[in-house]
Amino acid sequence: MKAAHLLAGAALALTSALALAQNAPQSLLPPGFDDPAPAPAPVPATPARPGGPASTSVPAAGSSPVVQPLPPASPSGVGIPSGPPADPSVLAKLPTLEQLEKMTPEELEVALGLTPQFDISPGARRSTEQIGIIDEREGGFAPNSVSSQRPSLIRAALAGNKGLMVSRWGHILLRRALASRLDTPAGMNAGDFAGLRAGLLVRMGEAEAARALVQDIDTGNWTPILNNAAFSAYVATGDFTGICPAMITRGAMRTDPQWETAGLICRAFRGEDRYSLQQLDHALRTGKMPAIDVLLAQKYAGAAGKVRRAVTIEWDNVDKITPWRYGLALAVGLKPPETLMQGADPRYDAYSAVAPMLGLERRAAAADRAAAFGVLSGSAMVDLYGQIYTDPDVTGDWSERAEDLRGAYVLASSAGRVTAMQKLWEVGDDPVARYSRQVLTGFAAARLPVDPALADNASQLVSSMLAVGLDRNAARWANVVPEGSEGWALIALTGPGAGSVDLGALESFVDADGSPDSRKSAFLVAGLAGLGRISDGTRNSYAGDLGIDFDRQSRWTRMIRSAAEVDNPALVAMLAGLGMQGAGWDKMTPRYLYTIVSTLRQVGLEGEARMIAAEAVARG
């Protein structure tokens, strides 16, 4: 009788359904972003916020500005349009009557889309007017920052960013923009907007922040874009049971093997151990997924449920690591072989550095890259080494490094403390690890008294302080660093309220620059010009000598400058992140750096602009 009712309901459902940068790596930007294009129409004179600059030009007839000014703040937020209509192609995926007869009631509900959209009462549901995890009072951007922007522009800025950026400070700024509580752009689905932000956070290595962002939204409001981003976030954090609530209301959104296998893990977690393991055995026999993927899922499902089964994981025939394999390995306490991890995506280090299930030594090794990316702060690095120092089970090199960090704080002589820092900075030819260690020692360097006897080490100390944003502490060494040295250049860029730059010292720096293609000199000139610390004449003079065309325009430069003209810091931050993509500073050009620094300064983000300019010189 029950089966007959289910079949009748299935037939009814079927019937009803039938009735219904100069030398920049241009390829890093989405198609069309870096192609020269006609200048956008002028922006109307609407101030973005109290005290902000306003454009006085009027758009041409029949045109609209590329970047819209900020709308007046409104406590009621921005209306969110409903999602797109159902895709008719879903009819082709409906099961046959024979398949329906073999299904359990729960499977039938999922197959026919009969599961409820919401699993919570109306009174407990959360609004989607503003989505994010950092309020404006907590340092986030204004809620209405992008509400008046074209959805196509926001999609391009977020979906076109591959996530890996050259700048630690650019990463930190973009993370702040993505995590802010923002109104959705008019004409864009709130779930899609959140999904695009969460997806970019995952690509940046910020899986924890991405997971927190998607958890701020009821699963009943999830869209396919948000669902995919959420799944990636849960996989990257090794939290395969975290997606289970979405499986109840959104289980039919995907049909790929990974999604279905995650659903089996959830069934084991709910107590259906035997059924889950039987289906995983079937997937292993039929080759639905690679054997390593199914075996890792079996190991996790056994741990999540009550039925215990010994599962042996062998990596011999595995040729590459994937997010699925890495996330499951983290979750079940396994370490992928070093041969697989060599040359793997650096974002795995970002995921590992904050993974609570890993040991301190593995997290510290991952932190040697994660700190340079911007995932870990200086305080987080010191906390990690503090745990290593107090853990008697950690011995060897990592224990000695924790001792060196302690010495950098407490040794009696300044020379001894500097020596301890230098030991931490010795990481061979790995510039990423070296910069991460400078993040680690930043606060220790700031505690040193200014001493002319340390002039030979002053540039390294200044760079370490600026790696954690201690610009005022670094400025105390202005009279100690040799004129024209790298330390002098860093202070010239970051000194609070610094005036005009000594052109003689600038000339000395350029003459002594041994970086490839005089990259440090080009970055220094670009940074000083973007911050308004040298004249246009001086900028143009050095631009000719260094082969830089600061005035060349592209669609991307026009867009970010248009966003700066209407005083929209959040949009400038998103577009700046788009222009800072790359695996190293050799992918950045002086023209792009000048544009980013000058526009950030124009919208009131001068602190971030100074840090990015200094980082370019320190790491160039």
Side-chain angles (χ1 to χ4, degrees):
M1 179 77 69
K2 184 176 182 181
H5 283 301
L6 289 173
L7 289 173
L12 178 60
L14 286 168
T15 305
S16 301
L18 290 172
L20 297 178
Q22 182 168 309
N23 293 318
Q26 309 295 345
S27 61
L28 292 177
L29 298 177
F33 253 92
D34 205 35
D35 296 333
V43 180
T46 303
R49 61 183 182 186
S55 171
T56 57
S57 56
V58 180
S63 66
S64 59
V66 174
V67 176
Q68 303 292 334
L70 288 174
S74 172
S76 60
V78 177
I80 306 302
S82 60
D87 186 357
S89 65
V90 74
L91 295 175
K93 301 178 182 179
L94 289 174
T96 64
L97 291 177
E98 290 77 10
Q99 292 172 325
L100 290 172
E101 289 178 342
K102 299 176 182 179
M103 289 183 179
T104 65
E106 292 79 8
E107 291 173 327
L108 185 59
E109 288 181 351
V110 172
L112 298 180
L114 301 177
T115 52
Q117 182 178 6
F118 287 92
D119 57 353
I120 55 178
S121 62
R125 296 173 193 171
R126 291 169 292 183
S127 170
T128 58
E129 285 190 354
Q130 288 181 5
I131 297 173
I133 54 178
I134 304 177
D135 188 76
E136 186 177 14
R137 294 165 296 182
E138 301 169 321
F141 287 100
N144 62 339
S145 293
V146 296
S147 60
S148 62
Q149 303 307 319
R150 293 181 179 177
S152 59
L153 172 62
I154 301 302
R155 286 181 185 273
L158 300 180
N161 194 325
K162 297 179 181 178
L164 189 61
M165 286 179 284
V166 301
S167 171
R168 162 182 163 79
W169 287 104
H171 175 110
I172 293 170
L173 175 62
L174 181 57
R175 178 182 62 200
R176 175 183 159 204
L178 298 175
S180 295
R181 293 191 65 82
L182 300 176
D183 298 330
T184 302
M188 191 176 195
N189 183 279
D192 286 351
F193 181 49
L196 289 168
R197 290 155 61 192
L200 178 51
L201 284 168
V202 173
R203 297 194 296 275
M204 291 168 61
E206 297 284 356
E208 297 280 350
R211 183 175 62 175
L213 181 64
V214 301
Q215 287 175 338
D216 193 45
I217 308 165
D218 297 334
T219 54
N221 291 318
W222 284 18
T223 65
I225 292 176
L226 178 55
N227 188 73
N228 292 339
F231 188 59
S232 297
Y234 283 110
V235 168
T237 54
D239 184 9
F240 286 80
T241 54
I243 198 70
C244 292
M247 288 290 177
I248 298 174
T249 60
R250 288 292 182 262
M253 270 195 173
R254 290 173 52 164
T255 57
D256 58 282
Q258 287 189 356
W259 179 259
E260 292 178 352
T261 302
L264 293 174
I265 291 175
C266 290
R267 297 190 72 153
F269 184 63
R270 296 202 306 265
E272 301 176 51
D273 311 62
R274 297 189 185 279
Y275 174 82
S276 174
L277 293 174
Q278 287 173 358
Q279 292 301 309
L280 289 172
D281 287 339
H282 178 72
L284 189 61
R285 290 193 304 269
T286 58
K288 193 173 184 179
M289 294 176 71
I292 185 66
D293 295 349
V294 181
L295 290 171
L296 286 167
Q298 284 182 331
K299 196 171 186 68
Y300 191 103
K306 297 179 180 178
V307 176
R308 295 292 177 259
R309 177 191 288 187
V311 180
T312 302
I313 304 298
E314 296 181 352
W315 299 91
D316 296 343
N317 298 322
V318 180
D319 58 354
K320 66 177 180 179
I321 196 72
T322 64
W324 175 268
R325 295 166 187 173
Y326 195 73
L328 277 171
L330 286 182
V332 299
L334 297 178
K335 182 180 181 181
E338 291 298 331
T339 53
L340 285 179
M341 298 309 301
Q342 290 175 357
D345 194 311
R347 278 163 284 219
Y348 293 128
D349 288 322
Y351 302 150
S352 297
V354 296
M357 69 284 287
L358 293 184
L360 293 173
E361 293 174 80
R362 285 183 63 185
R363 289 178 58 196
D368 272 351
R369 302 189 72 80
F373 298 155
V375 175
L376 290 181
S377 67
S379 297
M381 288 286 283
V382 172
D383 288 345
L384 176 58
Y385 274 70
Q387 293 179 61
I388 292 173
Y389 178 78
T390 58
D391 191 338
D393 294 330
V394 180
T395 58
D397 291 342
W398 289 110
S399 178
E400 293 176 6
R401 289 167 189 149
E403 279 282 0
D404 289 334
L405 181 62
R406 182 177 183 275
Y409 280 92
V410 303
L411 288 177
S413 68
S414 297
R417 289 155 69 181
V418 172
T419 299
M421 292 183 217
Q422 289 176 325
K423 290 175 64 178
L424 289 168
W425 297 335
E426 292 173 359
V427 290
D429 297 327
D430 188 346
V432 176
R434 178 179 175 80
Y435 190 69
S436 291
R437 297 287 180 86
Q438 287 191 319
V439 174
L440 171 67
T441 59
F443 293 108
R447 290 166 60 93
L448 283 169
V450 178
D451 187 350
L454 301 176
D456 292 342
N457 306 112
S459 293
Q460 293 177 321
L461 295 171
V462 168
S463 178
S464 183
M465 285 181 256
L466 294 178
V468 292
L470 301 177
D471 53 345
R472 293 185 182 275
N473 297 82
R476 295 166 51 230
W477 291 77
N479 295 325
V480 174
V481 293
E483 190 174 86
S485 66
E486 184 170 306
W488 167 86
L490 297 178
I491 294 176
L493 287 166
T494 61
S500 59
V501 173
D502 185 336
L503 297 184
L506 177 59
E507 186 68 27
S508 298
F509 181 89
V510 174
D511 290 342
D513 184 12
S515 62
D517 300 322
S518 299
R519 189 180 299 133
K520 286 179 178 283
S521 295
F523 284 162
L524 176 59
V525 172
L528 290 172
L531 293 168
R533 297 189 176 188
I534 57 174
S535 67
D536 290 344
T538 301
R539 183 202 73 174
N540 294 334
S541 174
Y542 278 101
D545 295 339
L546 297 169
I548 308 169
D549 183 2
F550 284 116
D551 296 323
R552 180 169 173 255
Q553 296 293 312
S554 68
R555 188 179 179 190
W556 173 79
T557 59
R558 287 191 176 96
M559 283 187 174
I560 193 171
R561 291 198 178 282
S562 181
E565 287 171 4
V566 296
D567 196 20
N568 192 326
L571 185 56
V572 168
M574 292 179 185
L575 292 171
L578 193 66
M580 284 190 282
Q581 298 176 83
W585 279 97
D586 57 323
K587 306 300 182 185
M588 174 62 70
T589 64
R591 178 170 66 95
Y592 272 33
L593 180 65
Y594 168 73
T595 301
I596 291 167
V597 169
S598 60
T599 52
L600 289 176
R601 172 174 172 256
Q602 187 174 346
V603 296
L605 297 173
E606 183 169 348
E608 288 82 353
R610 291 188 285 115
M611 292 301 109
I612 291 172
E615 183 185 352
V617 174
R619 303 178 68 185

